[in-house]
Amino acid sequence: MTKNYPEFPDLTDVYLEDSYVLGISETPGTVVFSLDLVLTPGHPRYQTPPPDEQYCYAKAELVFAEVTGVRWPRRSDLTFTDATGEVDLGNIDTMVYRNDHYELTGDWGEVHIYTTQAPRLAFG
């Protein structure tokens, strides 16, 4: 079974491909992506973006809980600096669920996260 990220309840009204990864942290049982997250008009937190922005952004964390395993086929220390001086790790280019794990890729690398729990968003 394969599912793309918009099929998960917390991720239906977001756009990961243009969201910025601000950091990735791993603790026993948890993987967290800190994001400058793009919200689409259907999201309850959506607001009309300012004139100088293409999207509505919100600080959020993409949380994978009850993680039983993490595998990194590829990692990168590449960083990017925007016009305001904020540093990020790039975007989440793909996120799918395959059989027993989530596969995420981006400029920061590729990670396979093993959990039976659906990912959730936590807003800061």
mmCIF file of all heavy atoms in Angstrom, residues 50-99:
data_model
loop_
_atom_site.group_PDB
_atom_site.id
_atom_site.type_symbol
_atom_site.label_atom_id
_atom_site.label_comp_id
_atom_site.label_asym_id
_atom_site.label_seq_id
_atom_site.Cartn_x
_atom_site.Cartn_y
_atom_site.Cartn_z
ATOM 1 N N PRO A 50 0.768 38.101 2.793
ATOM 2 C CA PRO A 50 1.122 39.502 2.558
ATOM 3 C C PRO A 50 1.459 39.716 1.087
ATOM 4 O O PRO A 50 1.799 38.757 0.378
ATOM 5 C CB PRO A 50 2.355 39.725 3.436
ATOM 6 C CG PRO A 50 2.536 38.497 4.243
ATOM 7 C CD PRO A 50 1.653 37.431 3.706
ATOM 8 N N PRO A 51 1.413 40.952 0.609
ATOM 9 C CA PRO A 51 1.649 41.230 -0.817
ATOM 10 C C PRO A 51 3.005 40.738 -1.332
ATOM 11 O O PRO A 51 3.126 40.392 -2.497
ATOM 12 C CB PRO A 51 1.564 42.753 -0.911
ATOM 13 C CG PRO A 51 0.872 43.208 0.318
ATOM 14 C CD PRO A 51 1.077 42.152 1.354
ATOM 15 N N ASP A 52 4.009 40.659 -0.468
ATOM 16 C CA ASP A 52 5.335 40.236 -0.910
ATOM 17 C C ASP A 52 5.556 38.727 -0.785
ATOM 18 O O ASP A 52 6.655 38.237 -1.024
ATOM 19 C CB ASP A 52 6.421 40.995 -0.139
ATOM 20 C CG ASP A 52 6.333 40.753 1.365
ATOM 21 O OD1 ASP A 52 5.233 40.417 1.862
ATOM 22 O OD2 ASP A 52 7.366 40.901 2.029
ATOM 23 N N GLU A 53 4.522 37.968 -0.426
ATOM 24 C CA GLU A 53 4.626 36.516 -0.276
ATOM 25 C C GLU A 53 3.668 35.815 -1.238
ATOM 26 O O GLU A 53 2.560 36.290 -1.482
ATOM 27 C CB GLU A 53 4.267 36.089 1.153
ATOM 28 C CG GLU A 53 5.225 36.557 2.207
ATOM 29 C CD GLU A 53 6.493 35.727 2.283
ATOM 30 O OE1 GLU A 53 6.542 34.627 1.691
ATOM 31 O OE2 GLU A 53 7.447 36.190 2.919
ATOM 32 N N GLN A 54 4.106 34.659 -1.729
ATOM 33 C CA GLN A 54 3.251 33.861 -2.604
ATOM 34 C C GLN A 54 2.286 32.998 -1.798
ATOM 35 O O GLN A 54 1.181 32.709 -2.236
ATOM 36 C CB GLN A 54 4.120 32.968 -3.500
ATOM 37 C CG GLN A 54 3.324 32.086 -4.439
ATOM 38 C CD GLN A 54 4.215 31.235 -5.324
ATOM 39 O OE1 GLN A 54 5.434 31.266 -5.213
ATOM 40 N NE2 GLN A 54 3.607 30.470 -6.201
ATOM 41 N N TYR A 55 2.721 32.582 -0.596
ATOM 42 C CA TYR A 55 1.954 31.634 0.209
ATOM 43 C C TYR A 55 1.701 32.163 1.615
ATOM 44 O O TYR A 55 2.391 33.060 2.090
ATOM 45 C CB TYR A 55 2.721 30.309 0.352
ATOM 46 C CG TYR A 55 2.981 29.583 -0.932
ATOM 47 C CD1 TYR A 55 4.279 29.419 -1.403
ATOM 48 C CD2 TYR A 55 1.939 29.036 -1.669
ATOM 49 C CE1 TYR A 55 4.524 28.719 -2.574
ATOM 50 C CE2 TYR A 55 2.175 28.339 -2.842
ATOM 51 C CZ TYR A 55 3.472 28.181 -3.289
ATOM 52 O OH TYR A 55 3.715 27.494 -4.441
ATOM 53 N N CYS A 56 0.769 31.492 2.293
ATOM 54 C CA CYS A 56 0.560 31.679 3.725
ATOM 55 C C CYS A 56 1.466 30.675 4.435
ATOM 56 O O CYS A 56 1.355 29.465 4.205
ATOM 57 C CB CYS A 56 -0.906 31.399 4.066
ATOM 58 S SG CYS A 56 -1.233 31.306 5.837
ATOM 59 N N TYR A 57 2.382 31.176 5.262
ATOM 60 C CA TYR A 57 3.307 30.324 6.008
ATOM 61 C C TYR A 57 2.946 30.316 7.483
ATOM 62 O O TYR A 57 2.470 31.317 8.016
ATOM 63 C CB TYR A 57 4.749 30.831 5.878
ATOM 64 C CG TYR A 57 5.343 30.659 4.511
ATOM 65 C CD1 TYR A 57 5.297 31.694 3.576
ATOM 66 C CD2 TYR A 57 5.975 29.477 4.150
ATOM 67 C CE1 TYR A 57 5.854 31.545 2.318
ATOM 68 C CE2 TYR A 57 6.533 29.326 2.892
ATOM 69 C CZ TYR A 57 6.477 30.359 1.983
ATOM 70 O OH TYR A 57 7.024 30.210 0.747
ATOM 71 N N ALA A 58 3.200 29.188 8.143
ATOM 72 C CA ALA A 58 3.022 29.071 9.591
ATOM 73 C C ALA A 58 4.156 28.216 10.140
ATOM 74 O O ALA A 58 4.562 27.228 9.516
ATOM 75 C CB ALA A 58 1.679 28.432 9.917
ATOM 76 N N LYS A 59 4.661 28.588 11.307
ATOM 77 C CA LYS A 59 5.664 27.757 11.986
ATOM 78 C C LYS A 59 4.941 26.527 12.523
ATOM 79 O O LYS A 59 3.905 26.632 13.181
ATOM 80 C CB LYS A 59 6.326 28.509 13.140
ATOM 81 C CG LYS A 59 7.077 29.746 12.713
ATOM 82 C CD LYS A 59 8.342 29.415 11.977
ATOM 83 C CE LYS A 59 9.136 30.704 11.739
ATOM 84 N NZ LYS A 59 10.083 30.585 10.671
ATOM 85 N N ALA A 60 5.490 25.362 12.198
ATOM 86 C CA ALA A 60 4.851 24.117 12.622
ATOM 87 C C ALA A 60 5.898 23.020 12.725
ATOM 88 O O ALA A 60 7.012 23.161 12.220
ATOM 89 C CB ALA A 60 3.761 23.708 11.633
ATOM 90 N N GLU A 61 5.509 21.953 13.380
ATOM 91 C CA GLU A 61 6.348 20.765 13.445
ATOM 92 C C GLU A 61 5.569 19.591 12.865
ATOM 93 O O GLU A 61 4.393 19.397 13.186
ATOM 94 C CB GLU A 61 6.742 20.446 14.887
ATOM 95 C CG GLU A 61 7.672 21.469 15.487
ATOM 96 C CD GLU A 61 8.097 21.104 16.899
ATOM 97 O OE1 GLU A 61 7.352 20.363 17.597
ATOM 98 O OE2 GLU A 61 9.175 21.567 17.296
ATOM 99 N N LEU A 62 6.234 18.840 11.998
ATOM 100 C CA LEU A 62 5.701 17.593 11.473
ATOM 101 C C LEU A 62 6.256 16.498 12.367
ATOM 102 O O LEU A 62 7.470 16.265 12.396
ATOM 103 C CB LEU A 62 6.134 17.400 10.017
ATOM 104 C CG LEU A 62 5.735 16.101 9.334
ATOM 105 C CD1 LEU A 62 4.220 15.912 9.313
ATOM 106 C CD2 LEU A 62 6.305 16.062 7.925
ATOM 107 N N VAL A 63 5.370 15.870 13.133
ATOM 108 C CA VAL A 63 5.787 14.953 14.193
ATOM 109 C C VAL A 63 5.442 13.511 13.814
ATOM 110 O O VAL A 63 4.287 13.202 13.497
ATOM 111 C CB VAL A 63 5.094 15.312 15.529
ATOM 112 C CG1 VAL A 63 5.517 14.356 16.635
ATOM 113 C CG2 VAL A 63 5.390 16.763 15.902
ATOM 114 N N PHE A 64 6.461 12.661 13.895
ATOM 115 C CA PHE A 64 6.292 11.218 13.757
ATOM 116 C C PHE A 64 6.515 10.632 15.147
ATOM 117 O O PHE A 64 7.606 10.747 15.709
ATOM 118 C CB PHE A 64 7.299 10.635 12.770
ATOM 119 C CG PHE A 64 7.095 11.112 11.364
ATOM 120 C CD1 PHE A 64 7.687 12.285 10.929
ATOM 121 C CD2 PHE A 64 6.302 10.403 10.481
ATOM 122 C CE1 PHE A 64 7.498 12.740 9.630
ATOM 123 C CE2 PHE A 64 6.100 10.851 9.182
ATOM 124 C CZ PHE A 64 6.696 12.026 8.759
ATOM 125 N N ALA A 65 5.476 10.030 15.714
ATOM 126 C CA ALA A 65 5.540 9.487 17.075
ATOM 127 C C ALA A 65 5.550 7.963 17.026
ATOM 128 O O ALA A 65 5.237 7.349 15.997
ATOM 129 C CB ALA A 65 4.359 9.994 17.889
ATOM 130 N N GLU A 66 5.884 7.371 18.161
ATOM 131 C CA GLU A 66 5.945 5.909 18.296
ATOM 132 C C GLU A 66 6.799 5.280 17.199
ATOM 133 O O GLU A 66 6.456 4.240 16.631
ATOM 134 C CB GLU A 66 4.537 5.314 18.345
ATOM 135 C CG GLU A 66 3.750 5.805 19.551
ATOM 136 C CD GLU A 66 2.413 5.128 19.713
ATOM 137 O OE1 GLU A 66 2.291 3.925 19.394
ATOM 138 O OE2 GLU A 66 1.476 5.817 20.164
ATOM 139 N N VAL A 67 7.918 5.930 16.907
ATOM 140 C CA VAL A 67 8.841 5.473 15.870
ATOM 141 C C VAL A 67 9.623 4.267 16.396
ATOM 142 O O VAL A 67 10.200 4.314 17.483
ATOM 143 C CB VAL A 67 9.798 6.622 15.462
ATOM 144 C CG1 VAL A 67 10.870 6.122 14.519
ATOM 145 C CG2 VAL A 67 9.001 7.767 14.844
ATOM 146 N N THR A 68 9.620 3.197 15.604
ATOM 147 C CA THR A 68 10.352 1.983 15.994
ATOM 148 C C THR A 68 11.680 1.859 15.261
ATOM 149 O O THR A 68 12.515 1.040 15.635
ATOM 150 C CB THR A 68 9.505 0.727 15.732
ATOM 151 O OG1 THR A 68 9.168 0.683 14.343
ATOM 152 C CG2 THR A 68 8.242 0.741 16.582
ATOM 153 N N GLY A 69 11.881 2.659 14.209
ATOM 154 C CA GLY A 69 13.139 2.613 13.473
ATOM 155 C C GLY A 69 13.260 3.787 12.532
ATOM 156 O O GLY A 69 12.258 4.324 12.047
ATOM 157 N N VAL A 70 14.511 4.208 12.297
ATOM 158 C CA VAL A 70 14.805 5.293 11.367
ATOM 159 C C VAL A 70 15.999 4.864 10.529
ATOM 160 O O VAL A 70 17.008 4.385 11.072
ATOM 161 C CB VAL A 70 15.147 6.601 12.113
ATOM 162 C CG1 VAL A 70 15.506 7.711 11.131
ATOM 163 C CG2 VAL A 70 13.998 7.034 13.013
ATOM 164 N N ARG A 71 15.882 5.017 9.224
ATOM 165 C CA ARG A 71 16.995 4.676 8.327
ATOM 166 C C ARG A 71 17.236 5.858 7.404
ATOM 167 O O ARG A 71 16.299 6.401 6.823
ATOM 168 C CB ARG A 71 16.667 3.424 7.522
ATOM 169 C CG ARG A 71 17.847 2.898 6.705
ATOM 170 C CD ARG A 71 17.567 1.516 6.151
ATOM 171 N NE ARG A 71 16.589 1.536 5.087
ATOM 172 C CZ ARG A 71 16.848 1.823 3.805
ATOM 173 N NH1 ARG A 71 18.067 2.145 3.435
ATOM 174 N NH2 ARG A 71 15.885 1.798 2.908
ATOM 175 N N TRP A 72 18.485 6.269 7.286
ATOM 176 C CA TRP A 72 18.888 7.394 6.435
ATOM 177 C C TRP A 72 19.690 6.866 5.249
ATOM 178 O O TRP A 72 20.912 6.728 5.346
ATOM 179 C CB TRP A 72 19.744 8.382 7.227
ATOM 180 C CG TRP A 72 18.997 9.196 8.213
ATOM 181 C CD1 TRP A 72 18.751 8.887 9.518
ATOM 182 C CD2 TRP A 72 18.397 10.466 7.984
ATOM 183 N NE1 TRP A 72 18.024 9.886 10.105
ATOM 184 C CE2 TRP A 72 17.802 10.877 9.194
ATOM 185 C CE3 TRP A 72 18.312 11.312 6.864
ATOM 186 C CZ2 TRP A 72 17.124 12.081 9.324
ATOM 187 C CZ3 TRP A 72 17.645 12.509 6.997
ATOM 188 C CH2 TRP A 72 17.057 12.885 8.203
ATOM 189 N N PRO A 73 19.056 6.568 4.092
ATOM 190 C CA PRO A 73 19.829 6.168 2.908
ATOM 191 C C PRO A 73 20.756 7.286 2.410
ATOM 192 O O PRO A 73 21.770 7.017 1.787
ATOM 193 C CB PRO A 73 18.767 5.851 1.857
ATOM 194 C CG PRO A 73 17.530 5.568 2.634
ATOM 195 C CD PRO A 73 17.617 6.421 3.864
ATOM 196 N N ARG A 74 20.371 8.533 2.704
ATOM 197 C CA ARG A 74 21.178 9.678 2.233
ATOM 198 C C ARG A 74 20.959 10.837 3.193
ATOM 199 O O ARG A 74 19.846 11.100 3.621
ATOM 200 C CB ARG A 74 20.725 10.059 0.817
ATOM 201 C CG ARG A 74 21.456 11.198 0.185
ATOM 202 C CD ARG A 74 20.998 11.420 -1.270
ATOM 203 N NE ARG A 74 19.568 11.592 -1.425
ATOM 204 C CZ ARG A 74 18.926 12.752 -1.295
ATOM 205 N NH1 ARG A 74 19.580 13.837 -0.999
ATOM 206 N NH2 ARG A 74 17.624 12.822 -1.475
ATOM 207 N N ARG A 75 22.050 11.539 3.533
ATOM 208 C CA ARG A 75 21.983 12.740 4.374
ATOM 209 C C ARG A 75 22.828 13.829 3.743
ATOM 210 O O ARG A 75 23.835 13.552 3.106
ATOM 211 C CB ARG A 75 22.538 12.477 5.769
ATOM 212 C CG ARG A 75 21.559 11.834 6.698
ATOM 213 C CD ARG A 75 22.137 11.850 8.087
ATOM 214 N NE ARG A 75 21.144 12.417 8.985
ATOM 215 C CZ ARG A 75 20.985 12.076 10.226
ATOM 216 N NH1 ARG A 75 21.779 11.196 10.782
ATOM 217 N NH2 ARG A 75 20.053 12.629 10.956
ATOM 218 N N SER A 76 22.416 15.090 3.978
ATOM 219 C CA SER A 76 23.164 16.219 3.454
ATOM 220 C C SER A 76 23.194 17.335 4.493
ATOM 221 O O SER A 76 22.209 17.557 5.194
ATOM 222 C CB SER A 76 22.520 16.736 2.166
ATOM 223 O OG SER A 76 23.147 17.930 1.754
ATOM 224 N N ASP A 77 24.310 18.037 4.565
ATOM 225 C CA ASP A 77 24.443 19.188 5.451
ATOM 226 C C ASP A 77 24.204 20.491 4.703
ATOM 227 O O ASP A 77 24.469 21.567 5.222
ATOM 228 C CB ASP A 77 25.844 19.216 6.082
ATOM 229 C CG ASP A 77 26.037 18.061 7.039
ATOM 230 O OD1 ASP A 77 25.050 17.598 7.643
ATOM 231 O OD2 ASP A 77 27.193 17.612 7.193
ATOM 232 N N LEU A 78 23.707 20.403 3.474
ATOM 233 C CA LEU A 78 23.457 21.571 2.640
ATOM 234 C C LEU A 78 22.445 22.503 3.310
ATOM 235 O O LEU A 78 21.433 22.049 3.849
ATOM 236 C CB LEU A 78 22.900 21.101 1.291
ATOM 237 C CG LEU A 78 22.768 22.107 0.164
ATOM 238 C CD1 LEU A 78 24.135 22.643 -0.226
ATOM 239 C CD2 LEU A 78 22.118 21.438 -1.036
ATOM 240 N N THR A 79 22.735 23.803 3.318
ATOM 241 C CA THR A 79 21.800 24.787 3.860
ATOM 242 C C THR A 79 21.613 25.920 2.862
ATOM 243 O O THR A 79 22.447 26.118 1.968
ATOM 244 C CB THR A 79 22.288 25.382 5.202
ATOM 245 O OG1 THR A 79 23.539 26.028 4.996
ATOM 246 C CG2 THR A 79 22.408 24.312 6.268
ATOM 247 N N PHE A 80 20.528 26.644 3.034
ATOM 248 C CA PHE A 80 20.179 27.765 2.173
ATOM 249 C C PHE A 80 19.868 28.963 3.058
ATOM 250 O O PHE A 80 19.335 28.809 4.150
ATOM 251 C CB PHE A 80 18.955 27.431 1.309
ATOM 252 C CG PHE A 80 19.135 26.187 0.492
ATOM 253 C CD1 PHE A 80 18.747 24.951 0.993
ATOM 254 C CD2 PHE A 80 19.708 26.252 -0.765
ATOM 255 C CE1 PHE A 80 18.923 23.802 0.248
ATOM 256 C CE2 PHE A 80 19.895 25.102 -1.518
ATOM 257 C CZ PHE A 80 19.507 23.876 -1.013
ATOM 258 N N THR A 81 20.174 30.156 2.584
ATOM 259 C CA THR A 81 19.878 31.382 3.322
ATOM 260 C C THR A 81 18.959 32.245 2.464
ATOM 261 O O THR A 81 19.286 32.530 1.309
ATOM 262 C CB THR A 81 21.169 32.151 3.647
ATOM 263 O OG1 THR A 81 22.056 31.273 4.343
ATOM 264 C CG2 THR A 81 20.873 33.363 4.511
ATOM 265 N N ASP A 82 17.813 32.647 3.046
ATOM 266 C CA ASP A 82 16.875 33.474 2.280
ATOM 267 C C ASP A 82 17.250 34.953 2.386
ATOM 268 O O ASP A 82 18.227 35.321 3.048
ATOM 269 C CB ASP A 82 15.423 33.209 2.679
ATOM 270 C CG ASP A 82 15.065 33.692 4.074
ATOM 271 O OD1 ASP A 82 15.836 34.473 4.671
ATOM 272 O OD2 ASP A 82 13.994 33.303 4.559
ATOM 273 N N ALA A 83 16.461 35.805 1.758
ATOM 274 C CA ALA A 83 16.749 37.245 1.712
ATOM 275 C C ALA A 83 16.747 37.892 3.090
ATOM 276 O O ALA A 83 17.405 38.909 3.306
ATOM 277 C CB ALA A 83 15.742 37.950 0.807
ATOM 278 N N THR A 84 16.026 37.289 4.052
ATOM 279 C CA THR A 84 15.981 37.858 5.402
ATOM 280 C C THR A 84 17.110 37.319 6.285
ATOM 281 O O THR A 84 17.230 37.710 7.436
ATOM 282 C CB THR A 84 14.632 37.555 6.084
ATOM 283 O OG1 THR A 84 14.527 36.134 6.292
ATOM 284 C CG2 THR A 84 13.463 38.049 5.257
ATOM 285 N N GLY A 85 17.903 36.396 5.760
ATOM 286 C CA GLY A 85 18.998 35.819 6.519
ATOM 287 C C GLY A 85 18.647 34.533 7.236
ATOM 288 O O GLY A 85 19.486 33.938 7.907
ATOM 289 N N GLU A 86 17.391 34.078 7.118
ATOM 290 C CA GLU A 86 16.983 32.833 7.763
ATOM 291 C C GLU A 86 17.569 31.646 7.004
ATOM 292 O O GLU A 86 17.531 31.594 5.775
ATOM 293 C CB GLU A 86 15.458 32.723 7.823
ATOM 294 C CG GLU A 86 14.985 31.551 8.645
ATOM 295 C CD GLU A 86 13.488 31.538 8.896
ATOM 296 O OE1 GLU A 86 12.730 32.171 8.151
ATOM 297 O OE2 GLU A 86 13.082 30.869 9.857
ATOM 298 N N VAL A 87 18.114 30.690 7.751
ATOM 299 C CA VAL A 87 18.732 29.502 7.170
ATOM 300 C C VAL A 87 17.741 28.344 7.206
ATOM 301 O O VAL A 87 17.034 28.155 8.198
ATOM 302 C CB VAL A 87 20.019 29.129 7.938
ATOM 303 C CG1 VAL A 87 20.627 27.845 7.404
ATOM 304 C CG2 VAL A 87 21.026 30.273 7.861
ATOM 305 N N ASP A 88 17.693 27.578 6.114
ATOM 306 C CA ASP A 88 16.841 26.392 6.086
ATOM 307 C C ASP A 88 17.585 25.264 5.395
ATOM 308 O O ASP A 88 18.665 25.450 4.852
ATOM 309 C CB ASP A 88 15.490 26.687 5.420
ATOM 310 C CG ASP A 88 15.606 27.026 3.954
ATOM 311 O OD1 ASP A 88 15.897 26.113 3.155
ATOM 312 O OD2 ASP A 88 15.402 28.205 3.596
ATOM 313 N N LEU A 89 16.967 24.083 5.420
ATOM 314 C CA LEU A 89 17.562 22.877 4.850
ATOM 315 C C LEU A 89 16.941 22.518 3.506
ATOM 316 O O LEU A 89 17.217 21.442 2.974
ATOM 317 C CB LEU A 89 17.400 21.700 5.823
ATOM 318 C CG LEU A 89 17.902 21.931 7.247
ATOM 319 C CD1 LEU A 89 17.598 20.733 8.124
ATOM 320 C CD2 LEU A 89 19.382 22.247 7.252
ATOM 321 N N GLY A 90 16.105 23.383 2.962
ATOM 322 C CA GLY A 90 15.402 23.088 1.717
ATOM 323 C C GLY A 90 13.972 22.678 2.007
ATOM 324 O O GLY A 90 13.398 23.048 3.030
ATOM 325 N N ASN A 91 13.401 21.899 1.116
ATOM 326 C CA ASN A 91 11.998 21.515 1.200
ATOM 327 C C ASN A 91 11.857 20.019 1.447
ATOM 328 O O ASN A 91 12.825 19.285 1.391
ATOM 329 C CB ASN A 91 11.273 21.858 -0.114
ATOM 330 C CG ASN A 91 11.540 23.266 -0.565
ATOM 331 O OD1 ASN A 91 12.311 23.478 -1.486
ATOM 332 N ND2 ASN A 91 10.926 24.227 0.076
ATOM 333 N N ILE A 92 10.620 19.597 1.682
ATOM 334 C CA ILE A 92 10.284 18.171 1.632
ATOM 335 C C ILE A 92 9.746 17.948 0.224
ATOM 336 O O ILE A 92 8.643 18.384 -0.106
ATOM 337 C CB ILE A 92 9.245 17.787 2.702
ATOM 338 C CG1 ILE A 92 9.832 17.975 4.102
ATOM 339 C CG2 ILE A 92 8.787 16.335 2.498
ATOM 340 C CD1 ILE A 92 8.859 17.700 5.240
ATOM 341 N N ASP A 93 10.558 17.334 -0.609
ATOM 342 C CA ASP A 93 10.175 17.138 -2.014
ATOM 343 C C ASP A 93 9.153 16.025 -2.180
ATOM 344 O O ASP A 93 8.251 16.133 -3.013
ATOM 345 C CB ASP A 93 11.408 16.844 -2.866
ATOM 346 C CG ASP A 93 12.378 18.011 -2.900
ATOM 347 O OD1 ASP A 93 11.927 19.173 -2.834
ATOM 348 O OD2 ASP A 93 13.596 17.758 -2.996
ATOM 349 N N THR A 94 9.300 14.942 -1.406
ATOM 350 C CA THR A 94 8.339 13.840 -1.472
ATOM 351 C C THR A 94 8.108 13.290 -0.073
ATOM 352 O O THR A 94 9.009 13.308 0.773
ATOM 353 C CB THR A 94 8.825 12.677 -2.375
ATOM 354 O OG1 THR A 94 10.002 12.103 -1.807
ATOM 355 C CG2 THR A 94 9.085 13.148 -3.793
ATOM 356 N N MET A 95 6.889 12.818 0.150
ATOM 357 C CA MET A 95 6.558 12.119 1.387
ATOM 358 C C MET A 95 5.464 11.118 1.073
ATOM 359 O O MET A 95 4.351 11.496 0.699
ATOM 360 C CB MET A 95 6.076 13.076 2.472
ATOM 361 C CG MET A 95 5.713 12.353 3.752
ATOM 362 S SD MET A 95 5.113 13.495 5.003
ATOM 363 C CE MET A 95 4.152 12.358 5.985
ATOM 364 N N VAL A 96 5.807 9.844 1.192
ATOM 365 C CA VAL A 96 4.852 8.769 0.945
ATOM 366 C C VAL A 96 4.941 7.729 2.052
ATOM 367 O O VAL A 96 5.970 7.609 2.716
ATOM 368 C CB VAL A 96 5.076 8.078 -0.428
ATOM 369 C CG1 VAL A 96 4.863 9.045 -1.571
ATOM 370 C CG2 VAL A 96 6.437 7.436 -0.507
ATOM 371 N N TYR A 97 3.850 7.009 2.225
ATOM 372 C CA TYR A 97 3.826 5.861 3.123
ATOM 373 C C TYR A 97 3.872 4.618 2.266
ATOM 374 O O TYR A 97 3.062 4.464 1.347
ATOM 375 C CB TYR A 97 2.555 5.875 3.977
ATOM 376 C CG TYR A 97 2.490 4.721 4.939
ATOM 377 C CD1 TYR A 97 3.215 4.753 6.118
ATOM 378 C CD2 TYR A 97 1.715 3.600 4.669
ATOM 379 C CE1 TYR A 97 3.171 3.697 7.018
ATOM 380 C CE2 TYR A 97 1.667 2.540 5.561
ATOM 381 C CZ TYR A 97 2.400 2.586 6.730
ATOM 382 O OH TYR A 97 2.365 1.545 7.606
ATOM 383 N N ARG A 98 4.841 3.746 2.517
ATOM 384 C CA ARG A 98 4.986 2.499 1.763
ATOM 385 C C ARG A 98 4.958 1.312 2.730
ATOM 386 O O ARG A 98 5.908 1.118 3.484
ATOM 387 C CB ARG A 98 6.297 2.463 1.001
ATOM 388 C CG ARG A 98 6.399 3.433 -0.107
ATOM 389 C CD ARG A 98 7.616 3.106 -0.984
ATOM 390 N NE ARG A 98 8.013 4.236 -1.775
ATOM 391 C CZ ARG A 98 7.385 4.677 -2.849
ATOM 392 N NH1 ARG A 98 6.297 4.061 -3.258
ATOM 393 N NH2 ARG A 98 7.821 5.722 -3.515
ATOM 394 N N ASN A 99 3.902 0.561 2.697
ATOM 395 C CA ASN A 99 3.751 -0.682 3.449
ATOM 396 C C ASN A 99 3.899 -0.521 4.958
ATOM 397 O O ASN A 99 2.939 -0.670 5.686
ATOM 398 C CB ASN A 99 4.711 -1.753 2.930
ATOM 399 C CG ASN A 99 4.475 -2.039 1.465
ATOM 400 O OD1 ASN A 99 3.342 -2.096 1.020
ATOM 401 N ND2 ASN A 99 5.542 -2.191 0.708
#
